[in-house]
């Protein structure tokens, strides 16, 4: 059941008798809904709809990978994964430049890809996997600045270029369960040259590589920028994010605001969702801890003391942490935002693992909102899972054991209505 229409400028606190979906309790919602120029404004004041014990849970149900065993089960570096409609799971190994196909139960079926820069070859490094219409795969090859189009049976179809042009460069991808694919382009930053724009552009991408309609614009990230001809690195700077909604349209946001905008397929906003929560300060002590770690990394190479100091001078810190690390759309129209882990909460071992990643480390859980933008509560997630993606009623992620061996792992969402989440 959807939230009933609320007359303009009239805030309405929704109680359990007003609107409660099948997956929520009869608890009173701590929030309000109003209309502003035809856009629904949903305010959450902090209390979750889930009562203690009602939270959804991630329950492990499959792990692919081995510490010792056949090479097709040993991953060098997992950089992408996606399930196909028949249950098979496709995994990209960026170190081996391989695309591996597994059965729904984790049995290796076949692998494709050879390392290189020639026809039908994949460069070593970051490889993305996207599932388009008809289970056609788009394999993002960042080393060669190409995308390879692969049939569901592993047949190589074609490739197209992603080299920057016209002052813009490809900065990310997204896909929906239906097979819709979108690319985000960001203005190319060059020394002593003005930016083409201050906004990233989100555009529909067809399977042959051609671009379709623009469906959104979001403020560009500024964690790297030039001051004249000198680069500057900003740690924990606000970044934009977007995700395609499973039922159509998209959601956009920016990590320094707990405000998410639901949009129609044409990009027009229909709902703004807010959560009343204070940002955590990035304290001077935490900044000193991170700078000390970065200096240790810099001194491990062959850099001169002058070069080390030059890089240190280019590093800047934000005063506040972002509200969240990233978000993604989930089953039943839900929205999941990955929490962050402040440096002050880290163990000595975690602090030793800090690196030049300019985003904060992921926290232990996701803030979850329902399809009307009401705050449900937290779904706990393993700290060891830096990346998680939702497909149907399952979450896929990358895990490491105590020997830093990588695995692809899936979790079933316990508590989710199976019928509503199918597909």
């Amino acid at each position: 059941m959807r939230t009933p229409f609320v007359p303009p400028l009239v805030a309405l606190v929704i109680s359990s008798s007003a609107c409660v979906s099948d997956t929520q309790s009869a608890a009173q919602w701590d929030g309000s809904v109003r209309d502003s120029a035809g856009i629904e404004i949903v305010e959450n004041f902090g209390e979750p709809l889930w009562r203690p014990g009602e939270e959804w849970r991630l329950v492990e149900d499959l792990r692919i990978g081995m510490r010792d065993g056949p090479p097709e089960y040993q991953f060098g570096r997992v950089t992408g994964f996606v399930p196909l409609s028949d249950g098979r799971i496709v995994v990209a190994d960026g170190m081996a430049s391989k695309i591996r196909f597994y059965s729904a139960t984790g049995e290796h079926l076949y692998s494709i890809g050879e390392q290189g820069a020639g026809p039908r070859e994949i460069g070593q490094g970051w490889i993305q996997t996207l599932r388009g219409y008809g289970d056609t795969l788009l394999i993002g090859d960042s080393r060669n600045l190409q995308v390879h189009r692969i049939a569901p049976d592993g047949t190589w179809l074609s490739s197209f270029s992603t080299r920057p042009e016209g002052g813009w460069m490809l900065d990310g991808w997204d896909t929906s369960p239906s097979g819709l694919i979108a690319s985000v382009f960001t203005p190319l930053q060059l020394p002593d040259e003005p930016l083409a724009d201050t906004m990233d552009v989100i555009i529909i991408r067809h399977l042959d590589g051609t671009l379709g309609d623009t469906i959104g614009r979001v403020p560009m990230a500024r964690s790297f920028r030039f001051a004249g001809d000198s680069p500057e690195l900003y740690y924990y700077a606000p970044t934009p994010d977007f995700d395609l909604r499973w039922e159509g349209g998209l959601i956009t946001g920016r990590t320094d605001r707990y405000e998410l905008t639901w949009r129609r397929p044409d990009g027009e906003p229909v709902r703004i969702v807010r959560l009343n929560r204070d940002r955590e300060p990035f304290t001077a002590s935490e900044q000193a801890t991170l700078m000390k770690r970065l200096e240790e990394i810099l001194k491990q190479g062959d850099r001169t003391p002058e070069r080390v100091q030059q890089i240190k001078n280019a590093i800047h810190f934000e005063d506040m942490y972002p509200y969240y690390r990233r978000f993604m759309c989930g089953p039943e129209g839900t929205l999941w935002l990955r929490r962050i882990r402040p440096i002050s909460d880290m163990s000595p071992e975690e602090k030793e693992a800090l690196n030049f990643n300019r985003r904060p480390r992921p926290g232990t859980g996701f803030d979850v909102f329902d399809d009307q933008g009401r705050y449900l509560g937290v779904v706990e997630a393993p700290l060891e899972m830096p990346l998680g993606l939702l497909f149907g009623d399952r979450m896929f992620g990358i895990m490491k054991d105590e020997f830093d061996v990588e695995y692809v792992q899936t979790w079933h969402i316990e508590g989710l209505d199976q019928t509503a989440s199918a597909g």
Side-chain angles (χ1 to χ4, degrees):
M1 182 185 303
R2 300 189 60 80
T3 303
F5 173 75
V6 181
L9 305 180
V10 178
L12 177 64
V13 177
I14 307 295
S15 68
S16 59
S17 60
C19 183
V20 177
S21 70
D22 294 338
T23 59
Q24 279 98 55
S25 69
Q28 181 172 330
W29 175 51
D30 177 29
S32 67
V33 179
R34 61 184 173 88
D35 179 85
S36 176
I39 300 174
E40 186 179 70
I41 309 296
V42 183
E43 303 276 2
N44 291 274
F45 301 124
E47 290 299 317
L49 257 176
W50 282 329
R51 294 180 296 194
E54 293 181 337
E55 303 90 350
W56 291 346
R57 295 176 59 244
L58 298 178
V59 180
E60 181 182 346
D61 59 7
L62 178 65
R63 176 177 287 200
I64 302 174
M66 293 181 181
R67 185 183 310 151
D68 299 304
E72 56 267 24
Y73 293 97
Q74 294 181 305
F75 299 120
R77 185 188 182 197
V78 177
T79 61
F81 44 78
V82 64
L84 301 182
S85 58
D86 60 5
R88 288 178 297 153
I89 300 168
V90 180
V91 180
D93 187 332
M95 185 175 292
S97 299
K98 292 288 186 183
I99 308 300
R100 305 192 189 279
F101 290 72
Y102 297 87
S103 72
T105 58
E107 177 187 2
H108 179 260
L109 302 174
Y110 48 89
S111 297
I112 64 170
E114 296 294 336
Q115 193 171 112
R120 303 193 177 192
E121 293 180 334
I122 302 173
Q124 187 180 46
W126 193 261
I127 304 172
Q128 294 176 299
T129 53
L130 295 161
R131 185 187 74 186
Y133 295 118
D135 277 351
T136 299
L137 294 167
L138 293 185
I139 305 300
D141 181 349
S142 61
R143 174 63 64 86
N144 294 324
L145 295 177
Q146 287 188 316
V147 170
H148 310 297
R149 196 160 62 96
I150 309 294
D153 63 359
T155 301
W156 198 290
L157 300 175
S158 62
S159 300
F160 58 86
S161 173
T162 58
R163 294 184 180 280
E165 57 180 288
W168 295 82
M169 63 179 293
L170 178 67
D171 194 45
W173 298 83
D174 191 31
T175 185
S176 71
S178 68
L180 183 67
I181 290 175
S183 294
V184 58
F185 291 85
T186 192
L188 186 62
Q189 301 184 53
L190 297 173
D192 292 322
E193 290 191 14
L195 287 170
D197 204 330
T198 60
M199 304 283 281
D200 290 349
V201 181
I202 305 166
I203 304 177
I204 294 298
R205 173 79 77 169
H206 301 303
L207 288 179
D208 62 0
T210 58
L211 298 174
D213 295 334
T214 296
I215 58 173
R217 290 169 60 86
V218 293
M220 64 177 293
R222 299 302 303 274
S223 60
F224 173 85
R225 65 193 83 162
F226 282 99
D229 61 354
S230 300
E232 294 182 339
L233 308 176
Y234 285 81
Y235 278 78
Y236 305 165
T239 58
D241 201 2
F242 83 98
D243 202 53
L244 295 176
R245 295 171 61 193
W246 291 14
E247 67 275 22
L250 75 160
I251 296 177
T252 60
R254 181 180 161 102
T255 58
D256 61 338
R257 305 171 189 161
Y258 219 125
E259 179 178 290
L260 296 310
T261 303
W262 267 248
R263 299 178 183 274
R264 296 196 307 248
D266 62 4
E268 286 298 312
V270 293
R271 176 184 296 135
I272 294 175
V273 176
R274 300 175 179 137
L275 177 62
N276 185 12
R277 177 179 292 171
D278 293 332
R279 290 176 69 186
E280 292 197 43
F282 185 24
T283 65
S285 174
E286 292 172 313
Q287 293 179 21
T289 297
L290 179 54
M291 179 60 86
K292 179 183 177 182
R293 175 59 185 149
L294 297 179
E295 188 172 3
E296 291 171 352
I297 296 172
L298 289 171
K299 290 181 177 179
Q300 291 172 3
D302 297 328
R303 301 176 183 89
T304 64
E306 292 76 17
R307 179 55 178 160
V308 170
Q309 188 59 48
Q310 184 182 24
I311 297 174
K312 287 176 60 178
N313 291 341
I315 294 174
H316 302 270
F317 298 115
E318 297 292 323
D319 294 329
M320 309 291 287
Y321 282 103
Y323 279 113
Y324 55 90
R325 194 169 191 269
R326 54 159 299 184
F327 64 79
M328 57 184 170
C329 296
E332 294 190 4
T334 54
L335 180 65
W336 298 51
L337 290 85
R338 186 67 185 264
R339 291 185 159 193
I340 65 164
R341 186 167 178 79
I343 291 176
S344 59
D345 289 352
M346 294 181 185
S347 66
E349 293 76 18
E350 289 174 311
K351 293 176 182 177
E352 283 295 316
L354 289 170
N355 54 34
F356 273 92
N357 190 334
R358 293 189 294 278
R359 281 192 175 188
R361 294 286 296 274
T364 59
F366 293 87
D367 285 324
V368 181
F369 296 80
D370 70 7
D371 61 345
Q372 300 168 51
R374 300 178 302 172
Y375 182 54
L376 295 176
V378 178
V379 173
E380 295 296 330
L383 269 177
E384 299 82 8
M385 182 183 68
L387 173 67
L389 294 175
L390 289 161
F391 299 93
D393 63 350
R394 300 167 83 193
M395 177 172 284
F396 286 64
I398 303 168
M399 298 289 287
K400 287 185 178 182
D401 64 15
E402 64 273 21
F403 301 101
D404 280 340
V405 175
E406 287 192 336
Y407 304 84
V408 174
Q409 191 162 309
T410 71
W411 294 265
H412 169 75
I413 305 175
E414 188 175 84
L416 178 65
D417 185 330
Q418 295 292 325
T419 301
S421 67

